[in-house]
Amino acid sequence: VMNIKVLALFLMATSTLLGGCMSIPVTTMYKMSQLSVLSLNPGEIQVAVRTNELVEVHGGAVNIRMATSSDGLPEDTNEAETEKFPPFNHEYKFKPQEQVLSASESNIPAILKDDIEDNEKITILKFYDKDAATMRDVLAQVKRYREKGAKVFGEFSIGFESSCFSNLYQFDELEVDLFLQTKEDDGFMLFFEDIDIIEEAREYDVEENSPGECNAD
């Protein structure tokens, strides 16, 4: 079954945020444990970053990693069918780039404004159409293989790209909250809370880049 398991989610998230003060709300843990990868709608996936208003959050500030693999069809499958469904092992790193400009003070979801500080702002990012299309192709392949009886394995993780946050030099620490929406009907959920991306940058010796040097491709 191609479900996102809590343990796998933690392992992947920890590998990205190792050394930091990571906090994943219990509600998020439950929702993610119930989520099927095949239920994702790439065109509706959005991430919202809440942090100090002096910081510009550029496209690519958050990355979503998806890995899928399969050994192909069972051994007792006829050769002609087996050739149509060979083993595969793919890994994709999607970086939501496009800012959702329609989100105004009046229509920003309430969960994003809950407990927001006076000096904080919200930036919402979504996939470019080409990245959404790539993820749809990945999910379609998973579905085809599963319908033929093949076992498919998958991983899903989220991390930060600190070089895509401007003006970090002004701060000794910078806490960031990350919200994730997998489907519009479900809305946003708080995914990471109070992550200090300055500390994360130091852990991995990431240089403080200017906005123009953010590698968002």
Side-chain angles (χ1 to χ4, degrees):
V1 179
M2 183 76 175
N3 279 355
I4 300 173
K5 301 300 184 183
V6 174
L7 179 58
L9 176 68
F10 275 146
L11 290 176
M12 294 307 302
T14 304
S15 68
T16 305
L17 296 169
L18 186 64
C21 182
M22 185 175 64
S23 174
I24 301 180
V26 174
T27 303
T28 296
M29 292 176 355
Y30 174 76
K31 288 182 179 178
M32 294 302 288
S33 71
Q34 303 300 307
L35 178 65
S36 168
V37 171
L38 292 179
S39 72
L40 295 175
N41 187 333
E44 297 179 1
I45 291 177
Q46 295 183 1
V47 293
V49 179
R50 187 169 69 191
T51 192
N52 190 286
E53 63 186 359
L54 298 179
V55 175
E56 289 297 323
V57 180
H58 300 279
V62 177
N63 65 70
I64 296 177
R65 176 185 174 275
M66 178 177 284
T68 58
S69 64
S70 175
D71 293 330
L73 298 183
E75 293 182 359
D76 58 356
T77 308
N78 68 71
E79 185 175 349
E81 281 289 281
T82 300
E83 290 179 354
K84 295 178 183 177
F85 293 86
F88 68 84
N89 189 346
H90 302 311
E91 180 175 339
Y92 301 88
K93 193 173 184 180
F94 301 99
K95 295 183 178 183
Q97 301 285 333
E98 188 175 358
Q99 293 201 15
V100 180
L101 301 178
S102 62
S104 65
E105 189 66 32
S106 60
N107 65 15
I108 287 179
I111 187 174
L112 302 184
K113 296 186 288 185
D114 186 33
D115 294 328
I116 190 171
E117 302 289 341
D118 291 339
N119 65 342
E120 289 183 326
K121 69 176 182 180
I122 298 162
T123 303
I124 302 175
L125 303 170
K126 67 177 182 179
F127 290 143
Y128 282 139
D129 289 344
K130 62 181 179 64
D131 290 331
T134 298
M135 184 178 283
R136 287 193 194 95
D137 291 343
V138 173
L139 298 178
Q141 182 185 35
V142 170
K143 185 177 181 180
R144 289 196 303 271
Y145 271 65
R146 287 192 61 196
E147 288 174 344
K148 284 293 184 177
K151 292 183 178 179
V152 183
F153 306 93
E155 295 174 337
F156 182 92
S157 66
I158 299 178
F160 293 108
E161 300 284 349
S162 59
S163 61
C164 297
F165 291 78
S166 69
N167 303 324
L168 294 189
Y169 66 89
Q170 298 185 41
F171 302 89
D172 293 324
E173 60 180 32
L174 181 65
E175 291 186 345
V176 173
D177 298 330
L178 175 67
F179 300 81
L180 172 67
Q181 172 183 284
T182 57
K183 292 187 297 184
E184 286 183 3
D185 290 344
D186 294 341
F188 283 95
M189 56 183 165
L190 179 59
F191 196 87
F192 287 133
E193 186 175 19
D194 298 335
I195 300 298
D196 184 354
I197 64 168
I198 300 291
E199 181 180 347
E200 296 304 323
R202 289 171 181 153
E203 284 285 333
Y204 291 97
D205 296 323
V206 176
E207 294 183 2
E208 296 170 346
N209 292 344
S210 67
E213 295 173 322
C214 172
N215 182 13
D217 297 324

